[in-house]
Amino acid sequence: MSNSPVIHMESVTKKYYIGEPNELQILFDIALDINEGEFVSIVGASGSGKSTLMNIIGLLDRPTDGSYALSGNDTKSLDDIQLSRIRNKEIGFVFQNFNLIPKINAVRNVELPLLYAGMPQKKRTERAMELLELVGMGDRYTHDPSQLSGGQKQRVAIARAMANNPSIILADEPTGALDTKTGRMVMDLFHKLHKEEGKTIVLITHSPELAQETDRMITISDGRIISDAERVPSLIRPDSDSDSDREGADAE
Amino acid sequence: MNFIESIKMAFASLMINKMRSFLTMLGIIIGISAVITITTIGNSIQKTLSNTFNTLGGATLELYLTVKDDYEGEWSEEEEEDMITLEMVDELLAQHPNELYMSVTQNCGKASIPKNDTVDLQVNMLAITDSQFKLPTVRKQIVKGRAISKADCEQCKHGCLVSDVFVEQYFKPNEDPIGKTLTFTMETGENYHFTIIGVMEYTELEKNQLGMNQIRNLDEIETHIYVPYHTMLKLSGKDPGEQTMSWVDIGWTNDCDVETAKKYCHEYFDEKYANNDQWEVEIFDPAEQMGMINTVLNVITIAISIIAAISLIVGGVGVMNIMLVSILERTREIGVRKAMGALNTDIRRQFVIEAIIICLIGGLIGVAIGITNGFVISAIAKAIMNSVASQYAEYITLTVQPSLTAIFVSLGFSMLTGLAFGYYPAERAAKMNPIDALRYE
Ligand SMILES: Nc1ncnc2c1ncn2[C@@H]1O[C@H](COP(=O)(O)OP(=O)(O)OP(=O)(O)O)[C@@H](O)[C@H]1O
Ligand SMILES: [Mg+2]
């Protein structure tokens, strides 16, 4: 299992307005393998196609061409229901703009993947509260997204992404809307998930420093992978986990 | 995700935007309350009419002589031998003793009773059968003594029933009228003696008709005296068996119903008149007249209800419109739900249930308003009747009777409206591509 990659892409392309005069190709001939337990960052200029690639990885979108196998299964043959099931069970999304559902509280937001997994209400709430506790949001259960700060929202979103204990976490610029300190806190959460729970994490970021912290950095330019580099071991960041955790909590 | 969860979720999201949810319901509320108001009024009119009708004496069959359809001979007045005889009626009743009875009131003319040396009281003599006071149709109540019994008739006894007004006229305030014998001088000059066996009370309407309010002198009022039918026949020199009549009222007891009573009468008289060339006995059922009125009322009620139900379609379009807006507003939410693993069916169900709940709550509120309207209108009608036609008020019991069928049909219809007009928007939401929904600005 660990030998075959969880994510395996061969010559994946993505085009919009197909067949029209303004046909637009976003991704060109992407070949990508990501192994189980890897923490990968994707960097590149704005509009280069990072999110497009991420959405294909997360089964929110389909490639125009090429093949994509998730955990060894070709995704082309999957129908809507199967795609939904995989998104529900195997993948946790963290979005740049949080994408919490407004007007329902933190617990209910975290419950969403559990709801669609068919877990009964009581167990759902228990699990959601546990997860919120884990991301340091134990005192904000009943707050609506509108009553939370950006960092708090993103932590709720991370709790939600972890709800069904997925093996893959996809984070599209999770720190983009946050200040450095809060971003640090969120980043530490990912490190924790990666180290302690062995999650496969794919992270899109514009920050070279954050990208440096990951095992592997993929650079995309104009829809093509132009570099794919293992982290240089000497660049291990200083171990400041616990400090920044406390800082984050104080900042609230 | 199960059904109850979907319902809870739908309620939660309707609660988020209470004002909008209510305004969306308004169309449904108006439509349903209109339907319920109209059907309640229609139903109540029917109920009131039928109550009133029974009070005023509808619960008997009237049997009368009529010329046969296929009679081609010369038309002539009915002869004595063609007529229905009391003997026949008695025979018919004897066949079904606990089911049928005869209801007869025969005016025997005026009589006078000397009160003292100077004043004679004038009365109307009415010959009745024992069943007369058992009828729900006769609201007179025996306030003292007893009514005329079967034995009184069969044995031609000389007992009579007087009225409360007569007691006032004839007796001293504390005198007991029961057991006193009265002498009646008929217009023909004959004198009859009857002993008072009971006293009945006039209704207010009857007192009005007697002229109690206009006539100053109590002694001028002509009251009614009831005597046994058979006794009166005997006194007039006829044998009860030979008494003929061109019509007779037949009633039925609780052991029987109108259709069976009709059947019995037909069976008996069809056979009796089978050999009569010209005449046969026809049955007139006043309730059939009621039936026709009811049919007309039903048609009117249904017609107006349909028009009101059309307003439901307008309400439904309103629901659809709001659902489309709401789904557009919540496109991102739909995208997020799909990213979190919601199936198309989950999304569709969520929005369909929202639409159905809006319509169902609207329907329930509409039903409540409609029934309330029924009561309010009945109260107004009562007030008007009391001021315009108070003398009839006691005969007309206004009954408010919401139509259960209408309530269930309209609730069902409003749910259907929700389903019909909610399905398209919900389907649109369900079919959204997750990434497009997520990227929606
Ligand atoms: N639905 C769409 N229709 C047409 N073009 C699209 C669509 N979605 C994305 N694009 C185009 O694809 C290109 C890549 O977009 P993408 O969101 O992947 O960029 P990105 O690398 O994530 O950029 P950023 O760092 O700013 O988020 C953009 O030029 C965008 O205009
Ligand atoms: Mg992007």
Side-chain angles (χ1 to χ4, degrees):
Chain A
M1 182 67 198
S2 53
N3 297 345
S4 63
V6 235
I7 293 162
H8 174 73
M9 282 188 175
E10 267 175 52
S11 45
V12 162
T13 62
K14 182 71 188 177
K15 292 178 189 168
Y16 289 107
Y17 314 119
I18 294 160
E20 288 171 40
N22 56 343
E23 185 176 292
L24 187 62
Q25 184 155 7
I26 305 299
L27 295 178
F28 297 85
D29 198 27
I30 300 284
L32 177 65
D33 283 321
I34 296 175
N35 291 318
E36 203 176 333
E38 261 192 305
F39 191 170
V40 179
S41 59
I42 298 177
V43 295
S46 184
S48 55
K50 304 182 295 294
S51 297
T52 308
L53 177 63
M54 179 75 99
N55 293 331
I56 291 172
I57 295 174
L59 302 179
L60 290 171
D61 208 352
R62 283 175 188 272
T64 310
D65 246 316
S67 78
Y68 166 36
L70 183 72
S71 309
N73 302 315
D74 186 10
T75 57
K76 198 171 272 170
S77 58
L78 301 174
D79 63 16
D80 278 354
I81 293 175
Q82 288 165 317
L83 290 176
S84 289
R85 294 263 151 78
I86 296 172
R87 282 199 296 265
N88 183 243
K89 295 258 163 49
E90 304 297 332
I91 297 169
F93 287 98
V94 181
F95 301 97
Q96 176 172 12
N97 51 1
F98 321 119
N99 271 336
L100 296 177
I101 295 183
K103 307 260 170 87
I104 67 174
N105 66 32
V107 174
R108 292 279 176 270
N109 263 291
V110 176
E111 278 180 18
L112 275 184
L114 304 168
L115 170 75
Y116 293 116
M119 189 185 276
Q121 172 77 67
K122 245 176 105 178
K123 275 177 77 182
R124 233 158 54 204
T125 312
E126 265 169 39
R127 168 95 176 123
M129 288 167 87
E130 212 177 281
L131 287 160
L132 283 169
E133 195 76 50
L134 205 73
V135 296
M137 293 289 295
D139 52 347
R140 292 287 192 279
Y141 293 148
T142 57
H143 285 55
D144 281 357
S146 61
Q147 298 164 329
L148 297 172
S149 76
Q152 291 170 332
K153 280 190 231 183
Q154 200 57 298
R155 278 188 281 165
V156 172
I158 292 169
R160 182 179 66 181
M162 285 155 42
N164 276 328
N165 203 13
S167 51
I168 304 167
I169 290 182
L170 303 177
D172 190 350
E173 286 184 58
T175 59
L178 308 177
D179 65 42
T180 343
K181 207 160 77 181
T182 341
R184 179 74 260 142
M185 190 173 68
V186 166
M187 213 36 208
D188 289 338
L189 260 171
F190 284 118
H191 280 295
K192 203 165 131 191
L193 286 174
H194 175 233
K195 273 198 215 125
E196 293 174 12
E197 314 209 10
K199 306 275 183 224
T200 311
I201 301 179
V202 181
L203 170 84
I204 294 178
T205 180
H206 277 132
S207 149
E209 297 90 61
L210 294 183
Q212 284 300 326
E213 296 175 17
T214 62
D215 299 342
R216 177 177 163 196
M217 190 164 87
I218 294 166
T219 312
I220 293 186
S221 176
D222 291 332
R224 289 173 222 268
I225 296 180
I226 54 162
S227 95
D228 187 343
E230 298 285 319
R231 182 184 58 178
V232 184
S234 66
L235 278 179
I236 294 175
R237 67 194 177 88
D239 191 12
S240 59
D241 272 273
S242 49
D243 282 349
S244 46
D245 259 353
R246 196 161 305 118
E247 270 173 44
D250 290 342
E252 284 158 25
Chain B
M1 200 173 60
N2 69 36
F3 200 66
I4 292 164
E5 305 238 45
S6 308
I7 291 175
K8 274 194 203 156
M9 216 159 83
F11 264 110
S13 76
L14 291 177
M15 290 306 283
I16 287 170
N17 223 328
K18 293 192 193 72
M19 190 62 189
R20 181 200 276 185
S21 304
F22 175 73
L23 289 177
T24 314
M25 278 172 203
L26 208 54
I28 305 290
I29 292 176
I30 291 169
I32 296 283
S33 66
V35 172
I36 297 296
T37 306
I38 290 157
T39 51
T40 302
I41 291 173
N43 221 30
S44 301
I45 291 176
Q46 263 179 33
K47 194 82 191 163
T48 302
L49 279 182
S50 99
N51 280 352
T52 308
F53 173 80
N54 284 341
T55 321
L56 293 179
T60 54
L61 297 174
E62 195 179 307
L63 276 57
Y64 60 97
L65 277 182
T66 183
V67 176
K68 283 184 175 172
D69 283 344
D70 54 1
Y71 176 67
E72 283 169 355
E74 206 170 305
W75 285 52
S76 57
E77 288 291 304
E78 65 256 42
E79 302 285 333
E80 194 81 352
E81 71 219 38
D82 295 322
M83 302 242 263
I84 303 169
T85 66
L86 188 57
E87 200 174 22
M88 289 183 197
V89 178
D90 281 340
E91 197 181 6
L92 169 67
L93 300 192
Q95 285 176 5
H96 314 284
N98 295 320
E99 292 169 286
L100 299 184
Y101 58 78
M102 175 175 60
S103 162
V104 178
T105 307
Q106 184 165 324
N107 199 335
C108 307
K110 289 198 162 94
S112 66
I113 303 165
K115 179 180 175 184
N116 47 43
D117 291 344
T118 49
V119 183
D120 281 347
L121 295 173
Q122 297 293 316
V123 295
N124 284 303
M125 299 283 280
L126 295 173
I128 59 169
T129 47
D130 59 293
S131 55
Q132 197 66 14
F133 277 86
K134 287 187 206 146
L135 286 176
T137 62
V138 182
R139 301 234 293 185
K140 297 177 193 72
Q141 288 198 321
I142 308 294
V143 288
K144 227 178 219 168
R146 60 174 181 82
I148 287 167
S149 70
K150 203 168 179 180
D152 290 334
C153 286
E154 282 169 356
Q155 297 164 29
C156 298
K157 290 198 175 163
H158 283 239
C160 74
L161 206 57
V162 298
S163 61
D164 54 343
V165 176
F166 179 81
V167 172
E168 229 179 295
Q169 287 173 325
Y170 190 81
F171 293 101
K172 292 186 196 82
N174 285 324
E175 210 178 337
D176 184 8
I178 307 291
K180 301 283 181 336
T181 303
L182 302 172
T183 305
F184 298 82
T185 308
M186 305 300 289
E187 279 171 326
T188 51
E190 280 143 309
N191 280 338
Y192 298 146
H193 301 281
F194 284 95
T195 304
I196 299 174
I197 56 168
V199 179
M200 66 95 187
E201 199 174 41
Y202 279 123
T203 63
E204 287 306 314
L205 178 60
E206 284 169 327
K207 283 185 180 167
N208 267 333
Q209 286 168 343
L210 287 174
M212 293 268 300
N213 298 335
Q214 292 96 35
I215 300 171
R216 292 283 161 93
N217 187 348
L218 190 66
D219 288 344
E220 284 174 24
I221 295 168
E222 292 178 6
T223 61
H224 298 89
I225 306 281
Y226 295 91
V227 295
Y229 184 68
H230 294 63
T231 313
M232 215 51 204
L233 283 179
K234 200 172 167 192
L235 287 175
S236 60
K238 278 181 181 154
D239 182 65
E242 288 168 10
Q243 169 65 14
T244 58
M245 37 204 162
S246 44
W247 57 266
V248 58
D249 277 347
I250 300 288
W252 60 94
T253 66
N254 288 336
D255 293 335
C256 186
D257 58 60
V258 60
E259 288 310 318
T260 321
K262 274 189 205 169
K263 202 186 80 190
Y264 290 156
C265 295
H266 267 302
E267 274 168 9
Y268 181 81
F269 284 104
D270 285 355
E271 198 201 311
K272 277 281 167 199
Y273 282 80
N275 296 325
N276 194 311
D277 293 334
Q278 190 180 352
W279 300 98
E280 66 179 352
V281 171
E282 191 68 67
I283 300 172
F284 172 71
D285 179 6
E288 275 175 12
Q289 223 75 345
M290 260 323 274
M292 265 170 59
I293 295 174
N294 281 346
T295 314
V296 171
L297 267 176
N298 274 339
V299 169
I300 295 172
T301 306
I302 290 172
I304 300 177
S305 297
I306 287 172
I307 295 168
I310 290 172
S311 71
L312 264 186
I313 293 172
V314 179
V317 173
V319 171
M320 178 143 116
N321 188 21
I322 295 295
M323 289 308 290
L324 284 171
V325 171
S326 154
I327 281 161
L328 209 62
E329 261 182 19
R330 288 157 69 185
T331 302
R332 279 270 284 280
E333 173 186 331
I334 293 164
V336 173
R337 285 180 186 277
K338 289 196 153 188
M340 298 299 137
L343 301 174
N344 291 358
T345 42
D346 291 328
I347 303 290
R348 185 188 307 118
R349 193 195 296 149
Q350 178 184 346
F351 286 104
V352 166
I353 286 178
E354 262 181 46
I356 290 180
I357 284 178
I358 286 183
C359 290
L360 196 57
I361 293 177
L364 284 169
I365 296 175
V367 166
I369 292 177
I371 293 175
T372 313
N373 281 346
F375 279 99
V376 169
I377 289 168
S378 130
I380 293 171
K382 201 169 268 171
I384 291 174
M385 205 171 68
N386 283 344
S387 62
V388 177
S390 54
Q391 66 270 35
Y392 298 111
E394 80 174 281
Y395 285 96
I396 299 169
T397 324
L398 280 179
T399 321
V400 182
Q401 177 97 13
S403 156
L404 274 182
T405 336
I407 289 173
F408 286 120
V409 168
S410 33
L411 285 182
F413 204 74
S414 61
M415 275 178 77
L416 217 70
T417 309
L419 185 67
F421 291 96
Y423 192 84
Y424 170 70
E427 186 61 27
R428 257 177 67 157
K431 285 272 163 64
M432 275 182 196
N433 185 352
I435 189 60
D436 292 343
L438 271 172
R439 294 182 71 110
Y440 180 81
E441 296 286 339

